[in-house]
Amino acid sequence: MIRTAALAALLATTALSSAAMAQTTPAPSTADAGAGFATSDATDPYLWLEEVEGERALAWVREQNTRSLGVLQGDPRYAQLHAEALEIVQSRDRIPSPGFRRQGDEEVIDNFWQDANHVRGIWRTTSVESYGTAEPVWETILDIDALAAAEGKNWVYKGASCLPPEERLCLVNLSDGGKDAVTVREFDRQTRQFVDGGFVLPESKGGATWIDRDTLLISRDFGEGTLTDSGYPRTVRLLRRGQSVDQAPVVFEGQQTDVSVSAYTLRDADGVVKATLLNRGINFYEAETWRLNADGTTTQLQLPAKSNINALIQGQLVVTTDQDWTAPSGQQFRTGDVISWNLEQWLANPATQAQLVIRPTERQAIEGISNTRNKLIVALYDNVRGSIYSYTPNPAGEWSRTRLNLPENTTVGIGSSSDHDDRVFVSASGYLTPSTLYLADATDGSTEQMKSLPAKFNADGMVVEQYEARSADGTMIPYFVVHQGDMAMDGSNPTLLYGYGGYQNSLLPGYSATVGKLWLERGGVYVVANTRGGGEFGPRWHQAALQQNRQRAHEDFQAVALDLQARNITSQPHLGIMGGSQGGLFMGAMLTQRPDLINGAVIQVPLFDMMRFHRLLAGASWIAEYGNPDIPEQRAWIAEYSPYQRLAAGQPYPEVFIHTSTKDDRVHPGHARKAAARLLELGYPVLFYENTDGGHGAAANLQETARRLALEYTYLSRRLMDTPAQE
């Protein structure tokens, strides 16, 4: 799916019982107890922990790592959990994710693969026919382990962009240790070598897109003054083969306060460029789209500020709008609508009439859009249950649809699609149902099962239930509970509640071998909260918890915790929570607002100091989600929930496990470090671990991933399965 927002780059309901409704009054605020702490640089004693590679900061990290690893790896359960996690993440019977790729006159399947023998991974290829067999014959294109060894680098593969239609020349993205910033190098898929004297872009956040074999549009860090306040590129330059980066002329420039600028091409199914587009990301959700004309001038396209360009099919430009909008034609469109124009006519006349392709209902959401040569492929969810449809335009631009033959009441996903014909890979899975991969024919909706993941844990007797909890403002919040069917409803069940609640990211039911093996199989209960701030019911569900309404999402999460206890599924001594990044902020809000509800929290690569989030790394790009702490009115609503400032003495905080990565160049590791330091200062037990590699995923390779998982589930076992929980 093509996106116009610059960074839009990470699942039977039952009425809430009256007992739960009676408990939805929030606990008294503890904000006053910490008034004045870290409300300015002068009152923050832990600013030095924001020095990512600072000697004092790293010494503190090493000390905490030694202590925390001693506790968790010293637990008798750790070794077994680690062995099971390592076996799962390095397993060779995973479904190799397929990607259609042109190779001469035929299509092949590319895949990136990691296992015990390929820790960093290999980029490899096979024929479509071979891929469909039990044992495909793979040919290695690029071995990242061998490359890292040869160059003495900690390379992490971040994907490749190949030039249509031949797709022989590719731009390979390589990250040092898992950072978002990447080095870009030109690679020849046919010779399987980096191109001698080819395009090379030094490490930077940003992007590069092909115009033709000798021309790129690049958005990078070009030196002082070329980045936005968010730390992303603010210029797009035209780079021709043989030029150095500093010789490339600027073709588009955004403003310092923008999130970023970027560029891409709209191509037809044969790879012919129909328009070259430039994105000015004003904030995380609003953008301008400009056309780069043949003479080097630019023309702004008449699109809603909150919109996504999804596809170009048979000359039809497909766009999703995330706001109510009156088109230049005078037509009225609603938030969440999918619309289309004849591209050529629309470029010539923005007042050209648009066609309405899809209008989701209040309980529906579009979770994915892609296209084949002739079809628009849409994953449409109804009450967090998915289906996939193929849409076809007629010569008048009107659309008909066909439902793909997939299991009902599952999570479905759109994979790679062909631009040679109308085949598309799709998947189906559930919490207890291993993923199955199908090759679908979007012409008639037929599907052929290609591969199925073997069960990775014993799900015999387990069930999935969907409930609703009433939030503080009366909104009903759906959530899923996965557990043993004969589980006693006596409040004694160790329960892990997961949440995210931001950026319109939906938490859809999916098969997790590690959750199943390391938690469910051992008697744990797994719960996923579909709170506002996510995208489970489309853009409005997300927008209901933006900025001054952020607390609604926190109250939604708290309502689910209360409902779990009201139903006697669990109780405070056995309830733990988990979330990362924005979900880490979620965990911090629960910890500081309702610590009486929980006995543990896994806080992963979190946001925590919301008074300074906009000054750290990519933080300024998230102002559209949270607000701007430099504006007094907005600072006031952020201060109401910012976890770092709200931490206070005398509260019933459980021991928490906080982890981050030194190489995370998206969410600054200072958030996690400062949270742990403040808790320790106040006298609370804290376990803190910082991986020195790994980026925002907190693990640069499979071995590090297994260690992180084992640490998390060892901690959760100690807190929620032991009685009483260990301190």
Side-chain angles (χ1 to χ4, degrees):
M1 178 169 60
I2 308 168
R3 297 190 64 90
T4 62
L7 293 185
L10 295 235
L11 258 158
T13 60
T14 303
L16 182 72
S17 68
S18 58
M21 293 172 59
Q23 296 183 66
T24 55
T25 303
S29 171
T30 60
D32 291 341
F37 175 80
T39 53
S40 66
D41 290 1
T43 58
D44 186 352
Y46 297 113
L47 280 181
W48 55 275
L49 285 171
E50 294 180 5
E51 299 174 18
V52 177
E53 302 285 351
E55 183 177 345
R56 182 185 177 193
L58 289 179
W60 181 89
V61 166
R62 287 191 293 269
E63 178 183 359
Q64 298 305 318
N65 281 354
T66 298
R67 180 180 60 83
S68 298
L69 291 177
V71 171
L72 294 175
Q73 293 181 333
D75 188 287
R77 290 164 288 204
Y78 175 83
Q80 179 68 24
L81 289 168
H82 181 263
E84 291 173 343
L86 192 61
E87 180 180 359
I88 288 170
V89 301
Q90 293 186 341
S91 170
R92 297 182 62 87
D93 59 7
R94 290 170 284 129
I95 296 176
S97 179
F100 281 111
R101 186 83 73 186
R102 290 279 185 99
Q103 185 167 288
D105 294 330
E106 63 176 350
E107 279 190 312
V108 296
I109 299 297
D110 278 10
N111 165 255
F112 183 71
W113 182 258
Q114 292 174 288
D115 59 27
N117 297 321
H118 307 96
V119 176
R120 300 178 190 276
I122 53 172
W123 177 15
R124 60 187 187 172
T125 190
T126 191
S127 68
V128 177
E129 292 73 22
S130 180
Y131 179 80
T133 66
E135 296 292 336
V137 178
W138 295 100
E139 297 178 22
T140 298
I141 299 172
L142 179 61
D143 186 326
I144 306 300
D145 294 271
L147 180 68
E151 299 184 352
K153 292 283 191 177
N154 185 16
W155 288 132
V156 175
Y157 179 72
K158 291 282 189 172
S161 171
C162 300
L163 174 63
E166 298 87 359
E167 297 193 297
R168 172 176 174 173
L169 297 179
C170 304
L171 299 175
V172 173
N173 299 296
L174 297 170
S175 164
D176 180 10
K179 294 183 290 187
D180 284 353
V182 295
T183 299
V184 181
R185 294 159 66 174
E186 186 179 5
F187 186 84
D188 188 326
R189 277 188 85 256
Q190 182 171 309
T191 65
R192 297 176 186 175
Q193 299 288 329
F194 287 104
V195 176
D196 187 22
F199 290 113
V200 176
L201 305 179
E203 181 181 88
S204 171
K205 294 181 180 180
T209 191
W210 292 98
I211 300 296
D212 55 47
R213 64 177 294 114
D214 295 317
T215 316
L216 303 179
L217 282 173
I218 59 174
S219 52
R220 317 291 294 169
D221 180 353
F222 298 106
E224 185 175 356
T226 66
L227 296 180
T228 66
D229 292 338
S230 298
Y232 292 98
R234 61 175 295 201
T235 62
V236 174
R237 303 191 184 201
L238 186 71
L239 179 66
R240 300 189 186 278
R241 191 174 297 279
Q243 286 183 321
S244 62
V245 170
D246 58 3
Q247 292 174 321
V250 174
V251 296
F252 189 74
E253 184 170 3
Q255 298 182 12
Q256 187 71 27
T257 55
D258 291 344
V259 172
S260 73
V261 298
S262 59
Y264 63 95
T265 56
L266 275 181
R267 299 176 185 264
D268 66 14
D270 294 316
V272 177
V273 176
K274 295 300 183 179
T276 300
L277 302 182
L278 305 158
N279 290 331
R280 178 190 166 212
I282 299 171
N283 58 46
F284 207 86
Y285 303 109
E286 296 182 323
E288 295 173 351
T289 302
W290 296 70
R291 184 183 185 190
L292 180 62
N293 302 313
D295 61 1
T297 61
T298 57
T299 304
Q300 185 175 356
L301 302 185
Q302 299 304 301
L303 289 169
K306 297 179 181 179
S307 63
N308 299 307
I309 292 180
N310 304 115
L312 178 62
I313 305 168
Q314 298 186 43
Q316 297 292 314
L317 180 70
V318 180
V319 174
T320 303
T321 176
D322 284 356
Q323 66 182 69
D324 293 346
W325 182 59
T326 302
S329 62
Q331 295 169 281
Q332 302 285 326
F333 294 102
R334 301 177 189 171
T335 299
D337 282 353
V338 181
I339 56 182
S340 69
W341 293 273
N342 178 287
L343 176 63
E344 185 176 339
Q345 295 175 8
W346 180 69
L347 289 177
N349 177 15
T352 296
Q353 288 280 308
Q355 290 288 339
L356 177 66
V357 184
I358 308 171
R359 173 164 288 166
T361 68
E362 288 296 318
R363 301 296 279 186
Q364 289 181 330
I366 294 170
E367 292 291 351
I369 297 182
S370 186
N371 65 282
T372 61
R373 184 175 186 85
N374 303 296
K375 309 290 183 178
L376 183 72
I377 312 299
V378 179
L380 183 64
Y381 277 68
D382 198 324
N383 202 32
V384 206
R385 288 173 166 83
S387 55
I388 296 181
Y389 291 89
S390 166
Y391 288 78
T392 308
N394 64 21
E398 298 170 336
W399 296 76
S400 60
R401 77 176 190 178
T402 300
R403 182 168 177 159
L404 270 58
N405 182 24
L406 292 169
E408 297 185 0
N409 297 323
T410 61
T411 291
V412 294
I414 304 171
S416 181
S417 56
S418 171
D419 57 14
H420 184 73
D421 54 32
D422 291 317
R423 293 176 297 173
V424 57
F425 284 104
V426 295
S427 62
S429 69
Y431 288 119
L432 303 177
T433 307
S435 297
T436 299
L437 181 71
Y438 300 85
L439 183 57
D441 184 342
T443 302
D444 59 11
S446 62
T447 58
E448 175 189 358
Q449 181 173 322
M450 297 291 285
K451 297 183 182 295
S452 183
L453 186 71
K456 292 294 184 178
F457 63 94
N458 183 4
D460 290 349
M462 292 185 187
V463 297
V464 179
E465 296 177 304
Q466 188 182 32
Y467 297 112
E468 287 187 337
R470 188 180 301 278
S471 194
D473 66 355
T475 301
M476 302 306 294
I477 310 302
Y479 67 95
F480 289 97
V481 183
V482 190
H483 63 91
Q484 292 287 347
D486 59 358
M487 178 181 73
M489 295 294 188
D490 60 3
S492 68
N493 302 295
T495 300
L496 175 59
L497 169 59
Y498 186 86
Y500 184 80
Y503 298 97
Q504 205 172 319
N505 287 340
S506 302
L507 298 183
L508 306 175
Y511 192 79
S512 170
T514 52
V515 170
K517 189 68 177 180
L518 307 185
W519 189 248
L520 292 172
E521 197 176 273
R522 299 170 59 234
V525 178
Y526 184 58
V527 181
V528 176
N530 299 124
T531 68
R532 284 173 289 185
E536 288 85 350
F537 299 130
R540 295 183 188 276
W541 193 247
H542 166 237
Q543 293 164 12
L546 277 178
Q547 299 204 9
Q548 67 267 33
N549 296 319
R550 171 60 43 180
Q551 180 61 17
R552 289 178 178 171
H554 303 153
E555 291 168 351
D556 293 353
F557 196 63
Q558 293 162 19
V560 173
L562 286 161
D563 201 50
L564 289 168
Q565 296 180 22
R567 296 179 190 276
N568 271 336
I569 292 173
T570 192
S571 57
Q572 180 275 331
H574 302 286
L575 178 60
I577 56 176
M578 176 189 284
S581 191
Q582 147 63 30
L585 172 60
F586 237 33
M587 303 306 105
M590 176 70 94
L591 179 68
T592 53
Q593 295 179 28
R594 294 304 308 266
D596 57 306
L597 297 180
I598 59 174
N599 197 35
V602 178
I603 305 174
Q604 308 160 315
V605 289
L607 284 163
F608 223 84
D609 183 356
M610 298 304 290
M611 296 292 99
R612 283 180 53 77
F613 82 92
H614 61 315
R615 302 187 183 280
L616 300 174
L617 296 177
S621 66
W622 308 323
I623 285 174
E625 182 82 7
Y626 304 114
N628 188 344
D630 290 339
I631 298 174
E633 177 188 4
Q634 299 181 22
R635 186 178 183 86
W637 76 56
I638 296 169
E640 285 296 311
Y641 67 79
S642 180
Y644 184 51
Q645 283 74 24
R646 288 179 60 98
L647 291 171
Q651 302 302 313
Y653 300 152
E655 174 194 73
V656 298
F657 177 35
I658 304 172
H659 67 74
T660 187
S661 168
T662 309
K663 292 294 179 73
D664 189 345
D665 57 349
R666 192 181 312 171
V667 174
H668 197 291
H671 285 280
R673 293 173 178 180
K674 289 165 50 173
R678 175 60 169 167
L679 283 164
L680 289 168
E681 174 199 337
L682 292 170
Y684 297 105
V686 180
L687 294 171
F688 175 90
Y689 172 66
E690 182 171 318
N691 185 15
T692 56
D693 285 315
H696 193 51
N701 58 56
L702 297 176
Q703 294 171 352
E704 292 172 0
T705 297
R707 177 173 57 186
R708 174 183 60 79
L709 288 164
L711 293 173
E712 290 175 341
Y713 286 98
T714 298
Y715 163 81
L716 290 167
S717 299
R718 292 167 56 86
R719 296 302 307 173
L720 310 181
M721 291 183 170
D722 293 351
T723 307
Q726 299 178 18
E727 295 293 348

